Amino acid sequence: MTVDTSSTGDAGVGAGAEHLAVAAAVAAGESVLSRRFGSAITLVAPEDLAGSGPAKVVRARVVSSSFALPRTLVIKHYPDQPSSGADPFAQEAVSYQLFTALAPDERMCPELLAHDGRDRVLVLEDLGRTPTLEDKLYARDSRAAERALLSWARSLGRLHASTAGREADFNALLRRLGGPAKDDGRGDDELCARVPVVIQERLGIPAPDEVLTQVAEALEQSRSAGFRAFSPVELSPDNNLVTGESVRFLDFEYGCVRSALVDAAHLRLPFASWPDALALPAGMSEAMIAAWRAEVVGVWPAFGDDDVLATHLTTSELLRVWVITGEELGSLDLSRHAAPVSREAALVTWWRDLAKHAGYVRMTAVSEFASRVAAALAARLGPHADLAFYPAFR
C-alpha cells in the first residue's frame, strides 16, 4: 500500500508516523495470514482504531483470498519489544489462544485467526462497529445500561467458568512465546504495608491490628489455589463490546490466571480500576453478583452458599479498596473544593460500602475502621463527597 509521508511542521510529522505505523501493521497482518493459509492475502482500506495501549490497532478489509475469511479483520501490531517485565504481546496472544481453543459459545472474546511472535502481530475476528459498555453507561437509556451490566457480569462468570482449571495450559502457551509469567500480585505486599501509614498521615486514623490481620488474609486468599481462572485484569467498560448475544472482552495485554475473586470484587466496586468509575443505582451490584454466580456455581459449588460467597466477596473487596487507597490516597486533593466527579468521592463510596458489607459478615473491626475512613474522607470533601451516577442512571 502507498503511504503519504509528506509533512508540514510537527503535526505533519506526527501524521506521517501514524501512517507508517498503520502500514507496518497491515504488512505484518498480510504476512502472518499468508504464512498461516499458504497463499497471498491482501488487506486494503485500513482504519486506525486508536488503541490506548502499546499496540497499533487497525481494521482492514480482505480484498483477495481463496479462503473463507471474514470481510474485515482487526490487526494488533506490537512493534516494540518490552523493556522489562511481562510482554503485553505474549500475554495477549496467549490469552486469545486459550479462548480460541474453546467452543464458540464459551469464547467471550473475538476469535484469534493468526498470530506470529516474530512479527509481534495478532489477527482477530472483527466484531464490527459495536457499542462498548462505556457507551451504554454514558447514553440516556437506563434499561439498556442495566441489561448491558447484567450481560457483562454473566460474561465475566462464563469467562471464569470456561477457563477454571486451565492455568497449566495458559502457562505452557506463555512459555512457548517466551513471556514471563505474571507475579500474581506479589507487588501488592509492599503497597499494602504502606496503606496504614498513608491513612494515618492523611486522615489521622490508626489501623487496628485485627484489620491488618484480615488484610493479610485477603492477600493470601487472592493467591490461593482455589477459584483460579483467567482474568483480563483491565476490567474497564471501554474494553467490552455489547453484541447482540453477549458482552465480549477485549484487550488482554495484562491477561493472566489468578483468583476469580479478584475480578468478582469489581462487582462490588464496579470498574474501580478505571479512572472514570462512577456510581451505579441501588441493587445493581447485587443483581450483577447474582448473574455472575449463576455462571460459576456449577464449577465452584461452594458459592451456592450465601454466607460463603458473601465472606469471600467481602474479603476480596477489602483487598481491592485497600490497594486502591494505597495507590491513590497519598496524591489526592482532599480539599473542600475538589471536583464533584472525583476519585476522592469514589473512595468515600467504596469505604462506605465496605463498612456495610463487612458488617453483614461480622468482620466487625473492618466495618468500624471502614466507617471511620469513609467519614473522615467525606468530612474533607464536604458537599462533593457523593459520587455521581453514570449518565444512564441520572
Side-chain angles (χ1 to χ4, degrees):
M1 61 181 292
T2 301
V3 179
D4 179 9
T5 58
S6 62
S7 61
T8 305
D10 292 341
V13 172
E18 288 302 306
H19 283 309
L20 287 171
V22 169
V26 171
E30 289 178 335
S31 177
V32 69
L33 284 169
S34 296
R35 289 196 300 274
R36 167 73 173 79
F37 292 100
S39 178
I41 293 174
T42 303
L43 304 176
V44 298
E47 176 188 353
D48 188 349
L49 298 182
S52 59
K56 172 57 67 176
V57 186
V58 177
R59 173 185 285 120
R61 181 163 56 86
V62 179
V63 71
S64 62
S65 170
S66 57
F67 304 97
L69 286 171
R71 285 191 63 186
T72 59
L73 303 170
V74 170
I75 304 157
K76 295 195 74 170
H77 183 221
Y78 289 81
D80 301 321
Q81 293 284 344
S83 56
S84 62
D87 180 356
F89 164 74
Q91 299 294 141
E92 184 146 43
V94 167
S95 300
Y96 277 114
Q97 281 182 282
L98 188 71
F99 279 101
T100 299
L102 301 176
D105 61 344
E106 295 181 327
R107 192 182 303 141
M108 296 292 101
C109 64
E111 181 181 0
L112 176 66
L113 299 174
H115 74 284
D116 185 82
R118 182 185 64 186
D119 290 333
R120 297 176 60 78
V121 64
L122 308 172
V123 180
L124 303 167
E125 170 191 12
D126 181 16
L127 297 180
R129 302 178 188 280
T130 304
T132 65
L133 182 53
E134 180 185 10
D135 294 332
K136 296 292 186 179
L137 291 171
Y138 278 85
R140 295 292 178 176
D141 187 338
S142 62
R143 290 185 179 274
E146 288 176 4
R147 288 194 298 269
L149 286 167
L150 292 176
S151 182
W152 177 79
R154 283 192 296 271
S155 291
L156 183 63
R158 292 174 67 187
L159 178 149
H160 288 153
S162 63
T163 58
R166 301 292 300 276
E167 185 166 11
D169 297 338
F170 183 89
N171 290 337
L173 291 168
L174 194 58
R175 284 193 296 271
R176 289 181 191 174
L177 280 178
K182 302 288 280 186
D183 66 2
D184 205 17
R186 297 291 166 181
D188 286 347
D189 295 77
E190 184 179 347
L191 177 61
C192 286
R194 291 203 308 268
V195 175
V197 177
V198 174
I199 292 177
Q200 176 75 59
E201 290 177 348
R202 298 302 307 273
L203 303 175
I205 301 173
D209 288 343
E210 187 175 351
V211 171
L212 300 181
T213 297
Q214 289 182 303
V215 170
E217 291 174 355
L219 265 172
E220 288 306 308
Q221 174 183 280
S222 73
R223 297 167 182 162
S224 68
F227 313 122
R228 293 179 72 80
F230 176 81
S231 169
V233 177
E234 286 198 332
L235 294 172
S236 303
D238 56 341
N239 283 341
N240 298 275
L241 293 181
V242 183
T243 70
E245 298 175 354
S246 64
V247 168
R248 300 294 185 94
F249 292 85
L250 303 174
D251 295 342
F252 297 142
E253 293 159 7
Y254 301 98
C256 67
V257 174
R258 64 180 182 181
S259 171
L261 289 164
V262 177
D263 288 354
H266 288 77
L267 302 170
R268 288 269 182 90
L269 313 166
F271 316 117
S273 59
W274 191 46
D276 299 320
L278 296 176
L280 296 177
M284 193 69 238
S285 181
E286 289 76 9
M288 291 163 65
I289 290 170
W292 173 83
R293 178 193 203 178
E295 299 294 335
V296 302
V297 71
V299 177
W300 299 311
F303 291 157
D305 185 301
D306 291 345
D307 293 335
V308 170
L309 178 62
T311 299
H312 278 302
L313 284 176
T314 304
T315 300
S316 192
E317 179 184 4
L318 166 62
L319 182 58
R320 288 303 93 202
V321 174
W322 197 265
V323 167
I324 292 169
T325 300
E327 292 172 337
E328 302 186 15
L329 182 59
S331 60
L332 291 180
D333 176 10
L334 298 181
S335 71
R336 289 179 176 271
H337 303 291
V341 177
S342 64
R343 292 298 278 181
E344 295 92 326
L347 277 176
V348 173
T349 296
W350 297 331
W351 278 102
R352 282 175 177 167
D353 288 347
L354 175 61
K356 178 178 64 177
H357 298 143
Y360 292 160
V361 297
R362 298 180 178 84
M363 295 170 61
T364 305
V366 170
S367 180
E368 292 175 351
F369 179 72
S371 293
R372 293 184 64 195
V373 172
L377 285 168
R380 299 290 187 97
L381 297 177
H384 300 314
D386 292 328
L387 184 62
F389 288 103
Y390 286 100
F393 301 111
R394 293 176 188 169

